[in-house]
Amino acid sequence: MIVLLTRRIMGLILTLIAVSLLIFAVMALLPGDPAAITLGTSASPETLAALRHDMGFDQPLIVRYGQWLGGALTGDLGKSYTYGVPVAGLIVERLAVTLPLAILAIILSILIAVPLGVAAAARRGGFFDIVATLFSQMSVAVPGFWVGLLLILLFSTSLGLMPAGGFPGWSNGLGPALRALTLPAVALALPQAGVLTRVTRSAVLDTLHEDFARTAVAKGLSSGAVLWGHIVPNALVPILTILGLQFTFLVAGAVLIENVFNLPGLGRLAYQALSQRDIVVMQDVVLFFAALVIIMNFLVDLSFLVIDPRLRSGGAR
């Protein structure tokens, strides 16, 4: 077990370093001069040269990469050209909106998809199976930002029940903050719920006819006890895999939704940094997203080892 964990952790570290190198290379190849974009076309050559020096763009690429990576490892992510503040503070501030939004969306996705997928598998070909199939197909086909616009038209413009956008801040109370996040969370959750419904149905169907399920039925257990006590727990591996991928997607893929609802989250920060050519913010936000994906996949792998002891013995070999 220790050998297996050591291999996984070393793979995690090497992957993070490789991803950071790729991100830095891509950002370095982007066209345009950040100093000229920041100061405008009327800036003098001397002023541009001074700003490039302050930004570190007059140094070799390998030196810039080493400074950036070293700063990231120590928590110093640099200073934003646009906002004039440390990027670490910007990320923490925006994460206070994006992270609760992603958590709320993943909870909604689970509450919709898991019961629907289990019911569809338990009654294959029945009413719930038809509903689950239609729901999964429609939710995957419809873009999340379009769902968000429809929700705004219905619940904000027509009914006036929910705010159309913006975020009041957590300091103004839990209720107003959650109301502002509800429609964006639904818009984010519905497409993911469709995928999760399909995976849950397939995983439960694959487990229904295992020997342990037939043994549990032979012992006289009720169908509900067999389903939720034996079949669903043994179908968790593919479900957890999708949930881990979905959570990282909800955090990193909320750019469109945050712009539709005018939420000051991490996705909107990435979009603004791209439009303003703020290289420091772009590098750090993309690295944060990539690290989140890699770490979540690592945690999902560890959860497999806890759920299924067979993987521990197989991995040790």
Side-chain angles (χ1 to χ4, degrees), residues 14-271:
L14 292 176
T15 304
L16 285 171
I17 293 175
V19 168
S20 69
L21 183 60
L22 178 62
I23 292 171
F24 181 84
V26 171
M27 294 299 173
L29 292 175
L30 287 178
D33 183 358
I37 294 174
T38 302
L39 295 177
T41 56
S42 59
S44 64
E46 294 79 10
T47 305
L48 288 174
L51 183 57
R52 290 191 192 99
H53 177 74
D54 292 338
M55 292 178 171
F57 285 102
D58 57 344
Q59 297 179 352
L61 287 177
I62 188 64
V63 175
R64 288 166 49 193
Y65 172 72
Q67 292 175 345
W68 175 59
L69 183 60
L73 293 175
T74 58
D76 182 11
L77 300 179
K79 191 174 181 180
S80 168
Y81 312 146
T82 304
Y83 299 97
V85 297
V87 179
L90 280 176
I91 291 178
V92 171
E93 178 185 351
R94 301 300 183 95
L95 198 60
V97 177
T98 300
L99 189 58
L101 174 62
I103 292 173
L104 185 57
I106 203 71
I107 291 173
L108 291 174
S109 178
I110 293 171
L111 292 177
I112 295 170
V114 172
L116 185 57
V118 172
R123 297 289 186 269
R124 187 176 185 180
F127 173 75
F128 284 108
D129 196 11
I130 296 173
V131 171
T133 302
L134 291 175
F135 170 72
S136 62
Q137 291 177 348
M138 292 179 61
S139 58
V140 171
V142 177
F145 71 89
W146 192 74
V147 174
L149 293 175
L150 291 181
L151 292 174
I152 291 174
L153 289 175
L154 178 60
F155 291 100
S156 301
T157 305
S158 300
L159 300 178
L161 298 176
M162 303 295 289
F167 186 71
W170 296 104
S171 59
N172 291 321
L174 183 63
L178 289 179
R179 288 185 76 248
L181 294 179
T182 299
L183 292 185
V186 173
L188 272 176
L190 285 179
Q192 302 307 311
V195 176
L196 186 59
T197 299
R198 186 176 300 177
V199 171
T200 302
R201 176 184 179 275
S202 177
V204 173
L205 281 176
D206 291 340
T207 315
L208 273 173
H209 304 293
E210 294 286 343
D211 291 338
F212 67 85
R214 289 193 290 267
T215 302
V217 173
K219 288 181 178 180
L221 296 178
S222 65
S223 58
V226 174
L227 182 64
W228 293 101
H230 295 271
I231 295 174
V232 173
N234 282 277
L236 282 179
V237 169
I239 295 174
L240 284 177
T241 303
I242 293 299
L243 283 176
L245 295 175
Q246 284 187 339
F247 182 75
T248 54
F249 173 81
L250 291 172
V251 174
V255 178
L256 290 177
I257 295 298
E258 289 181 355
N259 279 279
V260 168
F261 288 92
N262 194 28
L263 294 176
L266 206 55
R268 186 168 177 81
L269 176 64
Y271 174 78

Side-chain angles (χ1 to χ4, degrees), residues 229-310:
H230 295 271
I231 295 174
V232 173
N234 282 277
L236 282 179
V237 169
I239 295 174
L240 284 177
T241 303
I242 293 299
L243 283 176
L245 295 175
Q246 284 187 339
F247 182 75
T248 54
F249 173 81
L250 291 172
V251 174
V255 178
L256 290 177
I257 295 298
E258 289 181 355
N259 279 279
V260 168
F261 288 92
N262 194 28
L263 294 176
L266 206 55
R268 186 168 177 81
L269 176 64
Y271 174 78
Q272 291 171 337
L274 179 62
S275 61
Q276 295 162 351
R277 195 67 164 78
D278 197 331
I279 297 293
V280 175
V281 175
M282 289 169 60
Q283 284 183 165
D284 292 337
V285 172
V286 174
L287 180 63
F288 175 82
F289 286 152
L292 180 65
V293 172
I294 295 168
I295 293 172
M296 280 301 300
N297 288 338
F298 174 74
L299 294 177
V300 169
D301 287 342
L302 291 184
S303 69
F304 294 165
L305 300 178
V306 174
I307 293 172
D308 194 343
R310 295 171 299 180

